Amino acid sequence: MTIKKVISACLMLTCLITGLSGCGKTDQVSDTAERSVIKLGSDSYPPYNYLNEDGVPTGIDVELATEAFGRMGYDVEIVNIDWEKKQELVENGDIDCIMGCFSMKGRLDDYKWAGPYMVSNQVVAVNENSDIYTLSDLEGKTLAVQSTTKPEGIFLKRTDSRIPKLGNLISLEHRELIYTFLGKGYADAIGAHEESVIQYMKDYDAKFRILDEPLMTVGIGVAFSKNETRDLPEKLEQTLDEMREDGTSEKIIGKYLDDPEKYLEVDQLEEE
């Protein structure tokens, strides 16, 4: 009888341990299964978002978003979009937000925003041997930009007295083409984010020169639909602020850009 009791007790203990272990695993799977996915829309825009050698999305915005949304309890899916259709896609719910070095200035009423989380200069770049040194030298010249970007609006509207009348403004759907047009001489200059121009020169050993005078200094943010009912914009902005304060953002940006701290001086931006 004593041996039977010992065997019975052992069996009961084994079942109890197995049951507790199984219960822990079930909870873990459940937590993972309940983790929602944020669909982040962006086009290819190095160093903010691009595919690495293994075809995996990487870049400043990819890493910042993955970290920030991860802290909020979400996974991130990077969706490559037609940049011209970004507002339509986010309003229709095809993506949850737009994050691709996206300037907030002049667009505050178009979206719900989280940010600004970084500072960026919109600049003009020319070929190294160009005789264009100032914005006024662009008078009568041909400038190439990516369509629906801030430089396009600056030269179309010309609300800034520093902006001269161009001879021709070429708006191209794909970012890479503006550099081809400049290199081939189809355009005298291009307008783009400074970081994008620097990255292109690094990647392709291109010899461009960035004008000293920027077109505009802007804050970049994450855009959500105006109809967004979740508190994602507010929570994301708070999380990005925390990442800036604890040094995470500077560490991520430093992988891609020199002097990363200067891109985090968002408190010095004027009201958008």
Side-chain angles (χ1 to χ4, degrees), residues 142-160:
T142 297
L143 181 104
V145 297
Q146 184 180 10
S147 57
T148 75
T149 59
K150 188 59 67 176
E152 180 187 56
I154 291 172
F155 282 95
L156 282 176
K157 298 174 183 178
R158 294 181 57 226
T159 55
D160 187 335

Side-chain angles (χ1 to χ4, degrees), residues 36-102:
S36 298
V37 175
I38 294 294
K39 291 186 177 182
L40 185 153
S42 181
D43 63 349
S44 177
Y45 203 82
Y48 287 87
N49 179 28
Y50 61 98
L51 299 180
N52 63 17
E53 295 178 353
D54 298 320
V56 178
T58 190
I60 295 171
D61 280 346
V62 174
E63 289 202 39
L64 288 176
T66 301
E67 174 67 22
F69 280 116
R71 293 187 183 190
M72 294 164 57
Y74 295 92
D75 290 324
V76 175
E77 176 186 350
I78 306 299
V79 181
N80 189 42
I81 62 171
D82 181 343
W83 193 248
E84 294 184 2
K85 297 180 179 178
K86 56 187 177 295
Q87 188 165 9
E88 176 185 342
L89 292 169
V90 77
E91 294 294 344
N92 289 343
D94 297 307
I95 56 176
D96 292 296
C97 61
I98 307 163
M99 188 176 181
C101 192
F102 197 16

Side-chain angles (χ1 to χ4, degrees), residues 125-127 130 132 138 141-145 168-170 172 177-191 208:
V126 298
N127 285 310
S130 172
I132 298 172
L138 292 169
K141 303 293 187 181
T142 297
L143 181 104
V145 297
N168 189 22
L169 177 64
I170 302 174
L172 300 164
L177 290 176
I178 69 173
Y179 299 106
T180 302
F181 271 57
L182 179 58
K184 295 290 186 181
Y186 304 147
D188 301 300
I190 59 172
F208 300 145

Side-chain angles (χ1 to χ4, degrees), residues 104 114-119 218-221 237 241 244 266 269 272:
M104 296 174 64
Y117 62 90
M118 281 182 65
V119 175
V218 297
I220 58 178
E237 182 167 330
D241 286 344
R244 192 169 68 250
V266 297
L269 288 168
E272 301 287 342

